[in-house]
Amino acid sequence: MTARIRLLGIRHHGPGSARAVLAALRADPPDVVLLEAPADADTVLALAADPEMQPPVALLGYVVDRPERAAFYPFASFSPEWAALTWALEAGVPVRCIDIPVRHSLAPQPAEQQLTLTDAPPRPADPLAELALAAGYDDAERWWEDVVEHRDADAHAGGGGGDPDGPFPAIGEAMGALRSLYEPDGVPPDPVEQRREAHMRAGIRAALAAGHHHVVVVCGAWHVPALARAQQPGIVKTDAALLRGMPKVKSAVTWVPWTHRRLASAMGYGAGVTAPGWYHHLYTHAGPDVIARWFAEAARVLRAADHPASAADVVEATRLADALAVLRGRPLAGMAEVDDAARAVLGHGGDTPMRLISNELVVGTQLGAVPSTTPMVPLARDLALEQKRCRLKPDGAGKTLELDLRQPLHLLRSQLLHRLVLLDVPWGREAEGRRSAGTFRETWQLRWEPEFEVRLIEAAGLGTTLVTACGAALLQRAQQSPGLAELTVLLERCLLAGLPDALTEVLRLVDERSALDAEVDRLMEALPPLARTLRYGDVRNTDARAIEHVVTGMVSRITAGLAVACTALDDDASAAMAGLIRETQSALSLLGDARHLAALQRALATVSERDRVHGLVQGLATRLLADAGALDSDATERRVSRSLSSGTAPADAAAFVEGFLGGSGTMLVHDPVLLAVIDHWLAGLADAAFTDTLPLLRRTFGSFEPAERRSIGERVRTGDGPQTHRGHVDLDPERVAAALVTIGALLGVDG
């Protein structure tokens, strides 16, 4: 029996190609199907028939001892290779992969094994797009639909029966002509492509040697002319020479979920398509109502986002898309016609509805799924169990998750997300401005990305479960941490992630480093995370009492050395120190320990009176003491008056004002004496001094709220103003009592 080899040249991820492949396979079933995919993927191909397998998915090949060296081979429901694979598994026809195995493609290539490149121009990124462009089309998939698939369908409808090979012989001939322009000698200039095509030719010959007489090869259309030479005289020796001595590594191949977003060419995927969601719709809803279905989905998406979209709009948009296709001489409406009709009817000419349709439908947010029997590293399997326990399903579409840590399930979800962050798998990202350690609520933005599968494989060496792997990762970072501040942040994350076994070692390192670190600024950087941990540890059911003695020691060293640390600083260092003082004050106020606050106030009193301390720091120290009641109003006014006296350099006085006001004009609004002191100082500045200090003053007063600036300006203009803190205000005792009850409930204070 004479062997038959049918080469089906396809466009990767093209729904028209997928339908044509299925038609060719059903019209003339082969006895083996060969796919352009890594040959060592044969061991996991059968999983594609599992009911749990839901595309989009990808073959993941990686180096076992260096999992960061990995490659993905994606498949969507509309991928021709996926259509051929699932058809072969359902029909019981053997299916094999014939491309270079990942054990070779992922191995480092020695320089001496590199082949010589020719001066020929590089091959086109999308060969079918070249043919489409020559035919006057700007969209390769549209060209395939209009010129290839529909003509073939017309031939069958006309009663001629059509060619069982469909358009593929013509595609192969066209590719041969196209390749001759780029490869006059018939040899690809790229050495990697030379080896790939040699390996695929060898795979075809191996199928024939195994006794198969009817071979179908599903490959990229560009490779058809090269694979057609599989049985030419002399090609066996040439291929053997190309494949001899290829380096190899120990590798593994498995299936992982993929997303439509990652299939998009805009994400940098070389074989990507511009509209994966649109192609999925075309493939799964083929028929006369495919356009109407699309607009119905678009209307549903818009209504869910509170944009008006009625059934009448759907009908009108469908008619407009069909009319545009007729005017443009195309057999069916394509993406361009659908987009124009949607913008005119559903989007009312606006960009916002169209962006929504693009994200949700044109590109799509679909995330695939793989069977539970898929080979996984133990860490990935443990994550799957944790996701099931927390009732959190990975999703390719971004979504917001609100957590209340007082609920056990929400606490488990929070710990899971924080553990994954420690493993550099940021499935969830905390919403900006919402610190989980400072409240019983958390807000997360969730989105699962396919590359997280590789990061899990990389982290698998740290442990077989999330808890052990996260603990090991955290301890590694702690031991390599260059500073105390980084250590205390890790300690906070340890508690957020619920890792009590790692807590003891990290706490020991914090205690050891804090005792040896004489730099006050480093101690101040390290204090806020510890304070948050102490204050809110009970929300997460963690015992943070062991941190108390560390905090006490750090506060003692900070307050003892603060005055010296604030001496002789330049402008930049003073600004940094002022920020640290504010953070330290906030941290100790959060703890509410009177001993720590009193110690800080004594240190600030020394700073406010010490010579050679920058005016910015002195002003801030004075303001914090006044706010805490450590300085009464008269003492505050004397201190401000002295700092703004004629003996103080204008620049130093301006820096004091900036530190004292601290971005808030409330004190000037309610204290006319202080306002008068600052007004008198400003009025007494010489012209040159005023010009020099104006930028700093503008920055200071520009940070006030608009209402504060208006009130201050009105008071300066009229000399009058609202009641100050030094006057007497009559308060209604009943209203005060009601307000105190409300405030106590908000702060969690009884009585």
Side-chain angles (χ1 to χ4, degrees):
M1 180 182 294
T2 303
R4 294 174 58 201
I5 302 174
R6 296 160 62 199
L7 301 174
L8 308 186
I10 52 89
R11 179 174 185 246
H12 297 296
H13 312 308
S17 297
R19 283 193 291 268
V21 164
L22 282 178
L25 292 173
R26 290 166 178 166
D28 189 7
D31 57 11
V32 67
V33 174
L34 305 181
L35 302 177
E36 180 192 339
D40 39 10
D42 284 348
T43 56
V44 296
L45 290 184
L47 288 170
D50 193 299
E52 294 183 38
M53 183 76 83
Q54 299 294 328
V57 292
L59 286 169
L60 166 62
Y62 61 94
V63 180
V64 172
D65 56 353
R66 292 192 60 189
E68 70 277 6
R69 293 184 60 86
F72 293 101
Y73 304 88
F75 299 89
S77 61
F78 49 84
S79 299
E81 303 93 330
W82 182 260
L85 172 60
T86 52
W87 176 88
L89 293 174
E90 291 175 3
V93 174
V95 58
R96 302 285 184 268
C97 298
I98 58 173
D99 207 343
I100 286 185
V102 294
R103 64 177 176 270
H104 295 306
S105 62
L106 294 179
Q109 301 295 321
E112 61 270 15
Q113 294 191 20
Q114 296 293 327
L115 300 183
T116 302
L117 293 174
T118 70
D119 294 330
R123 57 163 284 185
D126 186 352
L128 288 182
E130 296 287 312
L131 298 181
L133 188 63
Y137 283 74
D138 58 0
D139 186 313
E141 189 59 36
R142 181 190 302 281
W143 171 79
W144 179 275
E145 294 281 350
D146 291 357
V147 180
V148 180
E149 186 175 3
H150 290 303
R151 283 192 178 182
D152 187 60
D154 291 341
H156 284 282
D163 187 343
D165 284 339
F168 296 111
I171 291 293
E173 184 178 348
M175 283 296 112
L178 184 61
R179 283 191 69 153
S180 66
L181 300 177
Y182 294 90
E183 304 165 4
D185 57 357
V187 178
D190 183 2
V192 174
E193 190 153 317
Q194 290 182 33
R195 296 190 183 104
R196 288 187 60 205
E197 292 183 341
H199 198 281
M200 287 191 278
R201 286 192 293 262
I204 295 173
R205 292 191 294 267
L208 296 174
H212 297 291
H213 300 287
H214 184 183
V215 179
V216 163
V217 182
V218 180
C219 62
W222 180 260
H223 300 297
V224 169
L227 301 191
R229 299 187 292 120
Q231 295 180 289
Q232 283 184 357
I235 198 68
V236 176
K237 183 180 293 186
T238 302
D239 290 346
L242 285 169
L243 300 176
R244 186 179 301 117
M246 286 194 302
K248 63 181 179 179
V249 292
K250 186 178 181 181
S251 63
V253 179
T254 187
W255 289 102
V256 296
W258 203 249
T259 67
H260 277 172
R261 198 167 64 89
R262 286 292 175 183
L263 278 172
S265 54
M267 297 298 296
Y269 173 43
V273 291
T274 56
W278 165 251
Y279 288 163
H280 174 76
H281 178 82
L282 289 181
Y283 187 72
T284 56
H285 299 292
D289 60 346
V290 62
I291 303 301
R293 282 176 175 268
W294 173 264
F295 284 118
E297 281 296 302
R300 180 189 60 79
V301 168
L302 292 177
R303 285 195 296 268
D306 294 329
H307 289 279
S310 65
D313 291 333
V314 171
V315 173
E316 184 179 351
T318 304
R319 290 174 176 171
L320 178 57
D322 291 338
L324 288 173
V326 173
L327 289 173
R328 295 168 181 175
R330 287 165 176 164
L332 288 176
M335 189 71 252
E337 290 75 35
V338 168
D339 184 75
D340 290 343
R343 179 178 293 274
V345 179
L346 298 178
H348 304 287
D351 290 334
T352 300
M354 296 308 298
R355 282 196 296 267
L356 187 62
I357 292 175
S358 176
N359 292 335
E360 296 292 325
L361 292 181
V362 177
V363 174
T365 59
Q366 186 168 340
L367 174 69
V370 299
S372 56
T373 55
T374 303
M376 297 181 187
V377 294
L379 181 60
R381 195 169 297 281
D382 184 65
L383 172 60
L385 293 175
E386 287 296 313
Q387 289 170 333
K388 186 175 182 180
R389 185 165 72 106
C390 294
R391 286 181 264 173
L392 272 182
K393 185 178 180 181
D395 194 341
K399 69 176 183 179
T400 301
L401 180 67
E402 295 282 353
L403 299 180
D404 183 343
L405 302 182
R406 296 169 296 184
Q407 300 181 30
L409 178 61
H410 287 201
L411 181 59
L412 288 175
R413 290 176 173 177
S414 171
Q415 291 175 343
L416 172 61
L417 294 172
H418 279 292
R419 289 170 183 173
L420 290 176
V421 169
L422 285 173
L423 291 179
D424 197 24
V425 182
W427 177 20
R429 299 180 186 274
E430 286 188 85
E432 186 176 354
R434 297 289 297 272
R435 290 288 309 211
S436 61
T439 176
F440 59 82
R441 298 192 66 83
E442 282 183 358
T443 302
W444 292 84
Q445 297 293 333
L446 302 185
R447 171 175 278 166
W448 185 264
E449 301 289 1
E451 60 265 25
F452 294 164
E453 305 285 347
V454 176
R455 297 187 186 180
L456 285 172
I457 295 172
E458 292 176 4
L462 297 172
T464 57
T465 66
L466 276 177
V467 172
T468 57
C470 289
L474 190 139
L475 290 177
Q476 280 185 2
R477 294 187 191 180
Q479 291 163 358
Q480 299 169 1
S481 177
L484 181 60
E486 292 85 353
L487 260 182
T488 55
V489 170
L490 287 176
L491 181 63
E492 182 182 20
R493 291 183 178 179
C494 181
L495 291 173
L496 295 176
L499 302 173
D501 292 341
L503 177 63
T504 303
E505 177 62 18
V506 179
L507 187 58
R508 183 190 67 78
L509 291 172
V510 170
D511 194 14
E512 180 181 287
R513 297 256 186 107
S514 64
L516 298 176
D517 201 331
E519 298 292 337
V520 172
D521 54 347
R522 294 182 182 176
L523 293 172
M524 296 169 76
E525 289 176 357
L527 184 61
L530 293 177
R532 290 194 297 267
T533 300
L534 273 177
R535 176 65 179 85
Y536 297 107
D538 57 338
V539 176
R540 298 175 174 275
N541 299 322
T542 56
D543 186 2
R545 289 176 296 178
I547 304 175
E548 290 182 359
H549 78 281
V550 177
V551 171
T552 299
M554 290 176 65
V555 171
S556 298
R557 287 188 284 276
I558 289 171
T559 54
L562 183 60
V564 175
C566 292
T567 303
L569 300 178
D570 60 16
D571 292 345
D572 292 338
S574 296
M577 178 58 70
L580 292 175
I581 290 174
R582 290 190 186 95
E583 292 178 3
T584 301
Q585 164 71 21
S586 298
L588 296 184
S589 298
L590 185 66
L591 290 177
D593 191 313
R595 297 170 301 165
H596 296 337
L597 288 170
L600 179 62
Q601 290 165 11
R602 290 192 295 269
L604 291 175
T606 304
V607 169
S608 68
E609 299 290 345
R610 191 180 181 90
D611 294 335
R612 300 178 61 207
V613 173
H614 197 279
L616 178 69
V617 177
Q618 283 191 327
L620 174 62
T622 303
R623 174 62 180 270
L624 293 177
L625 291 170
D627 288 345
L631 287 180
D632 60 24
S633 57
D634 292 333
T636 301
E637 289 154 13
R638 287 195 300 271
R639 182 69 186 89
V640 173
S641 298
R642 186 168 74 249
S643 296
L644 302 183
S645 64
S646 58
T648 304
D652 293 339
F656 181 91
V657 170
E658 182 182 17
F660 180 75
L661 296 179
S664 172
T666 304
M667 184 169 284
L668 296 184
V669 171
H670 295 287
D671 193 327
V673 178
L674 278 178
L675 179 59
V677 170
I678 293 178
D679 182 53
H680 177 73
W681 166 70
L682 277 174
L685 287 176
D687 292 345
F690 181 81
T691 302
D692 292 340
T693 58
L694 183 59
L696 185 58
L697 294 171
R698 180 179 294 168
R699 183 176 67 190
T700 301
F701 286 88
S703 63
F704 296 172
E705 293 293 332
E708 293 175 340
R709 293 199 298 268
R710 286 195 299 270
S711 181
I712 292 171
E714 184 66 19
R715 295 191 59 178
V716 171
R717 185 179 69 84
T718 64
D720 299 324
Q723 181 66 46
T724 69
H725 68 276
R726 300 173 66 184
H728 177 72
V729 179
D730 292 327
L731 300 176
D732 185 338
E734 293 184 1
R735 297 179 66 186
V736 169
L740 290 176
V741 171
T742 302
I743 294 173
L746 291 173
L747 298 177
V749 178
D750 296 330

